[in-house]
Amino acid sequence: MTESVLLGMPSRKPQRVASRVGKSYFVRTYGCQMNEHDSERISGLLESDGMVPASAPESADVVILNTCTIRENADMKLYGYLGSLKAVKDEHPGMQILVGGCMAQRDREAILERAGWVDVVFGTHNTHRVLDLLDHSEEWGPVAEVWDETTSVEDMPSMLPANRDSDHSAWVTITIGCNNSCTFCIVPMVRGREISRRPSDIINEVKQLAGEGVVEVTLLGQNVNSYGRDLDLNGRSPIFADLLRRVGEVEGIRRIRYTSPHPKDIKEDVMYAMAESAAVCEQLHFPLQSGSDSILAAMHRGYNGERFLEKLEMARRIIPDLAVSTDIIVGFPGETEQDFQDTLDVVAAARFDSAFTFQYSPRPGTPAATMPGHIEKAVIQERFERLVALQNAITFEKNMEQVGKTEEVLVEGPSKKNPLVATARTRGNRPVHVDGKFDAGRFMSVEIIRAAPHNLFGVVV
Ligand code: SAH
Ligand code: SF4
Ligand code: F3S
């Protein structure tokens, strides 16, 4: 069930007839893979109503912004873009503007107050209601609808048909929400408690995707290791390691990835399931966040630097050629120069293949936002640059270690910079450029002949 926070909630039509045939839509997505995937669902719903994609917001009848609020600059980007859309709407009076996703969930009707030209605000669990909300706003004016604590698995966006961006690669949601309490993070506030999908629903979706020609799936959850804890299947809770193995048995799926595991919860069983399922790629996203024990404790992460490195060693022992990426936050409240040095030490010891590095951004309503010891912007910037320099050097070294190897790659399509060069990915998720035109979705064997700081170059063998 969902809650209507503004105006009366329109009753759901029992059987909907396509009512927007020929109208066009444009979806702009901010944030993470969960949002990318939700946007595919939104596009699927709009197309089921007869709509067609527009190439730009200026020419669309319906513009949807699927928002993120993980850091402050995500909020600023959204309001900046909404401002520029006002001028577009002034020229096209019939245009409808919808704001959904995490920031919509957080700011709710405040968005309608701040940007009076917005027609619909919908929360992270209200994606399935987009068509009804469009109808409602046409008839009654602006509306905001977000979730409350009674939301159930049936309200999950992942139960909807999707209009996927890629023919060969697909996201598959396994859980939504998060039950952790990392003190810097707003996700639990906007995505709610963790809800797992039933294994049978997940497997059926993967089988259906395979039937449509998909060869690669990425399983999505904020903490995949806690998958299934909320489910009761004949007195037993399903576990992630078993799910991985079952997905690995689906015929036609040749690559399986997942994001993200939580270092505190990852155990050998998941690593063995990865090692023993041929389709599961030798790739792990393993978010460190900080290398300082006291900062990790203040972040509520449930591990220290040493424990993190032990888990990483365990993972690499079971899967020797594992490619590992991470997330790191610089400038958490109270971070001293020594704490930051500890982060550099763990990064040097861990030798990640790549890292997403972030400057700490206080999120209103999270415990860290009111902790003492907020760090000056210039100090954060300077530490950030040192961390990026260290990781870039490690990434380059790791890339150079690939030269001379023969790798199976999956073609993504022409490179963004040069249509005569294809971009492909190794099983370790490293981008490889290959001269020539190759169809997206094709597997090839390439020899890595050269390494650049952030990608590789290969030739077909
Ligand atoms: N559930 C995922 C993280 C999702 S958010 C996980 O636990 O791995 C993606 C990343 O954004 C986080 O890993 C963290 O590094 C970063 N992040 C989250 N909140 C942030 C904040 N307030 N400031 C800066 N970075 C943040
Ligand atoms: Fe946020 Fe932590 Fe949950 Fe990841 S595990 S979504 S960082 S609260
Ligand atoms: Fe993702 Fe941003 Fe929401 S990172 S979960 S879209 S706050």
Side-chain angles (χ1 to χ4, degrees):
M1 285 299 294
T2 52
E3 170 199 40
S4 173
V5 294
L6 267 194
L7 307 176
M9 184 161 86
S11 63
R12 201 175 168 82
K13 296 184 181 69
Q15 246 190 344
R16 196 187 163 93
V17 278
S19 59
R20 294 191 174 75
V21 178
K23 284 200 170 185
S24 62
Y25 73 91
F26 185 87
V27 184
R28 185 159 175 160
T29 311
Y30 301 82
C32 65
Q33 293 101 326
M34 322 272 165
N35 258 18
E36 300 272 350
H37 188 38
D38 290 350
S39 288
E40 294 180 340
R41 306 285 171 181
I42 295 168
S43 303
L45 266 179
L46 297 176
E47 293 194 13
S48 75
D49 203 32
M51 298 188 72
V52 291
S55 54
E58 289 76 18
S59 58
D61 299 307
V62 172
V63 175
I64 296 116
L65 306 182
N66 194 9
T67 63
C68 172
T69 184
I70 197 82
R71 285 168 288 275
E72 197 179 5
N73 58 3
D75 289 9
M76 291 184 317
K77 268 195 221 161
L78 188 263
Y79 279 110
Y81 189 61
L82 266 181
S84 70
L85 273 185
K86 182 178 188 311
V88 177
K89 190 169 174 174
D90 287 343
E91 305 264 302
H92 302 83
M95 184 178 181
Q96 283 175 290
I97 300 176
L98 287 72
V99 181
C102 294
M103 196 185 142
Q105 179 66 44
R106 195 200 67 192
D107 284 2
R108 308 172 178 213
E109 60 271 43
I111 295 179
L112 298 180
E113 281 155 25
R114 194 161 159 186
W117 55 97
V118 169
D119 297 282
V120 175
V121 173
F122 60 98
T124 46
H125 297 19
N126 305 64
T127 309
H128 62 296
R129 299 255 314 135
V130 155
L131 293 175
D132 287 336
L133 290 168
L134 266 172
D135 288 348
H136 182 87
S137 79
E138 265 170 28
E139 217 166 313
W140 303 99
V143 59
E145 190 182 290
V146 298
W147 58 268
D148 66 8
E149 290 307 319
T150 60
T151 302
S152 79
V153 68
E154 274 69 33
D155 294 324
M156 283 170 64
S158 74
M159 307 301 276
L160 302 171
N163 175 29
R164 281 180 285 109
D165 263 359
S166 157
D167 289 333
H168 62 270
S169 190
W171 316 109
V172 175
T173 307
I174 65 165
T175 63
I176 58 166
C178 182
N179 288 357
N180 286 319
S181 51
C182 306
T183 52
F184 51 80
C185 182
I186 198 165
V187 171
M189 280 167 65
V190 289
R191 294 260 169 178
R193 300 289 295 169
E194 189 175 277
I195 304 174
S196 304
R197 287 178 77 192
R198 283 178 285 272
S200 54
D201 289 341
I202 296 169
I203 299 300
N204 286 339
E205 184 179 344
V206 175
K207 283 184 180 160
Q208 192 186 331
L209 290 166
E212 292 166 11
V214 166
V215 291
E216 177 180 64
V217 292
T218 303
L219 309 179
L220 295 179
Q222 296 295 352
N223 176 12
V224 295
N225 309 108
S226 60
Y227 169 75
R229 281 181 197 167
D230 56 323
L231 292 178
D232 182 349
L233 304 180
N234 303 322
R236 197 181 151 258
S237 292
I239 57 169
F240 181 62
D242 291 344
L243 182 74
L244 258 189
R245 288 179 197 272
R246 284 186 62 188
V247 177
E249 286 162 9
V250 176
E251 214 170 305
I253 300 297
R254 289 179 58 180
R255 287 188 169 188
I256 299 162
R257 305 185 189 281
Y258 61 89
T259 192
S260 299
H262 194 301
K264 80 176 156 58
D265 293 326
I266 201 147
K267 305 213 167 60
E268 285 189 341
D269 64 339
V270 171
M271 289 301 130
Y272 282 117
M274 288 176 74
E276 290 160 19
S277 299
V280 182
C281 290
E282 298 74 30
Q283 181 224 334
L284 184 69
H285 183 64
F286 209 48
L288 169 67
Q289 311 301 1
S290 168
S292 148
D293 294 352
S294 58
I295 295 295
L296 283 167
M299 286 177 163
H300 250 187
R301 288 291 289 181
Y303 54 85
N304 59 23
E306 195 184 335
R307 192 86 191 96
F308 179 91
L309 288 171
E310 280 167 13
K311 295 243 178 177
L312 186 59
E313 198 185 303
M314 175 273 288
R316 284 177 168 149
R317 175 170 44 78
I318 298 171
I319 307 172
D321 45 358
L322 190 69
V324 184
S325 56
T326 199
D327 289 347
I328 302 167
I329 299 176
V330 176
F332 185 86
E335 184 187 79
T336 61
E337 174 59 25
Q338 184 54 51
D339 291 319
F340 177 66
Q341 282 296 335
D342 293 347
T343 297
L344 294 180
D345 290 347
V346 174
V347 167
R351 294 183 53 76
F352 300 110
D353 294 83
S354 61
F356 299 90
T357 43
F358 306 104
Q359 304 196 2
Y360 171 72
S361 170
R363 306 317 289 130
T366 61
T370 49
M371 283 180 186
H374 279 257
I375 316 283
E376 243 177 82
K377 182 105 194 63
V379 175
I380 296 183
Q381 179 67 32
E382 190 270 334
R383 288 181 189 166
F384 180 78
E385 284 166 18
R386 275 192 279 159
L387 173 65
V388 170
L390 171 64
Q391 181 55 47
N392 279 349
I394 297 171
T395 299
F396 195 13
E397 281 168 27
K398 287 270 185 166
N399 279 349
M400 284 191 296
E401 288 167 15
Q402 304 302 310
V403 175
K405 287 189 184 167
T406 298
E407 290 269 348
E408 177 203 77
V409 298
L410 174 58
V411 178
E412 290 188 336
S415 119
K416 283 190 193 104
K417 287 187 194 144
N418 182 352
L420 300 175
V421 174
T423 301
R425 290 218 176 236
T426 65
R427 285 177 61 89
N429 212 27
R430 295 185 177 91
V432 185
H433 296 303
V434 188
D435 277 342
K437 285 189 173 179
F438 303 99
D439 290 337
R442 178 176 157 182
F443 285 96
M444 348 191 257
S445 195
V446 301
E447 188 189 332
I448 307 300
I449 51 165
R450 190 159 69 80
H454 291 287
N455 46 45
L456 302 169
F457 296 85
V459 290
V460 181
V461 292

